[in-house]
Amino acid sequence: MIRVAIVDDNPEIVELVHTIVLDKVGKSQEQADNVKCFTKPIMLRYELEENRQYDLYLLDVEMPGVNGIELAKYIRKVQENAYIVFLTSHPEFAIYSYDLSIQAYQYILKGKMKTTLPYVLEKIQNNLKNKTDQFLVIHNNIRYEKIDHPKIIRMYKEGKNTAIVTDNGIHKKRSTLEKVLKELEGSSFIQIERGSIVNIERIDKIIRNEVHMDNGDIMEISRANVKSVKQRINQYWGEHI
């Protein structure tokens, strides 16, 4: 499933883009619910301010009020890994694809959308599929967020939630620690005691039964797991460092 935001002040263009997107990514109810249309760019900004994020943003360049360039710059400030594609009738706006503060994936001329957009969507879908195992997803009715694995330092049980300690603070995922560990299977995460998971890549050192993380946190390995945890960490370091 891919989450898409379509932004254009022309309702006819929005409808056309919406049709092309669903034809390419699928028309299931779940997928359709995750393709959202905006004719007022400020409405998308409000959603971003509430931490509702998308994988792909299809933005008209010329819009009244907040134009596509300004909106793209704001998106990039709050979401560094999203795909941004500009839709425009003016080839001269292609220069904004090279703006380092935006890092747009591509620009598409509106006159060629029917042929070009499906191709771009397919490339983005393939890229996202290849990166699926590099993110931990947190979502509910109003929030959808992807956290890069390298940014996760550790996780711990907090009631019915899993608290995720990252470089940017603590996030909460409505799931048990065991279910989260299953999502992370085959990655760099290891459970060191019943209520604690650490990212091996973020371990600074191990002293006796203590794991010292690179942010200064010190976690204790349960006695029963000390030997197996140290072996797993040494194996991972040997293969990846």
Side-chain angles (χ1 to χ4, degrees), residues 20-85:
I20 294 172
V21 169
L22 289 185
D23 283 344
K24 190 63 186 177
V25 305
K27 298 180 180 180
S28 69
Q29 188 60 52
E30 183 181 14
Q31 179 60 78
D33 289 343
N34 283 283
V35 177
K36 192 158 183 182
C37 301
F38 302 85
T39 53
K40 295 181 179 179
I42 192 64
M43 300 308 294
L44 172 60
R45 174 148 182 166
Y46 290 154
E47 289 209 357
L48 291 169
E49 289 173 352
E50 294 177 356
N51 286 321
R52 185 176 178 88
Q53 299 180 343
Y54 297 83
D55 302 305
L56 168 62
Y57 297 87
L58 300 170
L59 309 178
D60 182 21
V61 175
E62 289 187 294
M63 293 182 287
V66 180
N67 64 42
I69 306 305
E70 293 168 344
L71 186 58
K73 288 181 178 179
Y74 180 76
I75 291 169
R76 192 55 75 210
K77 283 181 181 179
V78 299
Q79 198 179 351
E80 61 185 35
N81 294 312
Y83 288 89
I84 296 173
V85 173

Side-chain angles (χ1 to χ4, degrees), residues 63-240:
M63 293 182 287
V66 180
N67 64 42
I69 306 305
E70 293 168 344
L71 186 58
K73 288 181 178 179
Y74 180 76
I75 291 169
R76 192 55 75 210
K77 283 181 181 179
V78 299
Q79 198 179 351
E80 61 185 35
N81 294 312
Y83 288 89
I84 296 173
V85 173
F86 287 126
L87 309 175
T88 179
S89 300
H90 305 283
E92 61 268 23
F93 287 140
I95 190 172
Y96 290 109
S97 297
Y98 303 98
D99 188 325
L100 294 178
S101 67
I102 297 174
Q103 298 178 40
Y105 182 73
Q106 196 164 339
Y107 84 98
I108 297 175
L109 290 174
K110 290 183 178 179
K112 297 182 178 180
M113 277 197 306
K114 290 183 179 179
T115 55
T116 306
L117 184 53
Y119 170 73
V120 172
L121 288 169
E122 183 172 354
K123 286 176 64 178
I124 292 173
Q125 276 188 292
N126 289 336
N127 289 345
L128 288 171
K129 285 177 183 177
N130 292 335
K131 292 181 179 180
T132 298
D133 60 349
Q134 298 176 7
F135 299 97
L136 182 65
V137 176
I138 299 175
H139 63 88
N140 54 38
N141 291 334
I142 62 171
R143 183 182 179 195
Y144 184 94
E145 183 177 5
K146 288 181 175 180
I147 304 176
D148 294 333
H149 284 181
K151 293 181 180 179
I152 299 173
I153 301 166
R154 64 184 182 91
M155 291 170 277
Y156 60 90
K157 181 180 178 181
E158 189 176 82
K160 295 182 179 180
N161 297 316
T162 293
I164 304 163
V165 181
T166 74
D167 293 321
N168 301 319
I170 299 177
H171 306 257
K172 302 287 178 65
K173 182 176 174 70
R174 186 72 172 177
S175 180
T176 65
L177 204 61
E178 290 72 22
K179 287 182 179 179
V180 172
L181 188 60
K182 263 194 169 182
E183 288 183 46
L184 298 167
E185 192 173 0
S187 60
S188 61
F189 295 88
I190 184 171
Q191 190 163 7
I192 62 172
E193 61 95 15
R194 189 174 181 182
S196 181
I197 295 172
V198 299
N199 186 350
I200 298 175
E201 293 185 352
R202 302 299 300 268
I203 294 175
D204 187 44
K205 58 189 174 183
I206 303 172
I207 301 177
R208 293 184 292 276
N209 67 328
E210 291 180 343
V211 175
H212 294 243
M213 308 307 292
D214 60 11
N215 70 331
D217 288 350
I218 300 175
M219 315 303 300
E220 188 171 323
I221 308 171
S222 65
R223 286 186 179 182
N225 292 335
V226 170
K227 185 176 180 180
S228 61
V229 167
K230 286 184 175 181
Q231 286 176 342
R232 172 75 179 93
I233 292 171
N234 284 332
Q235 179 186 6
Y236 186 90
W237 282 350
E239 293 173 353
H240 296 84

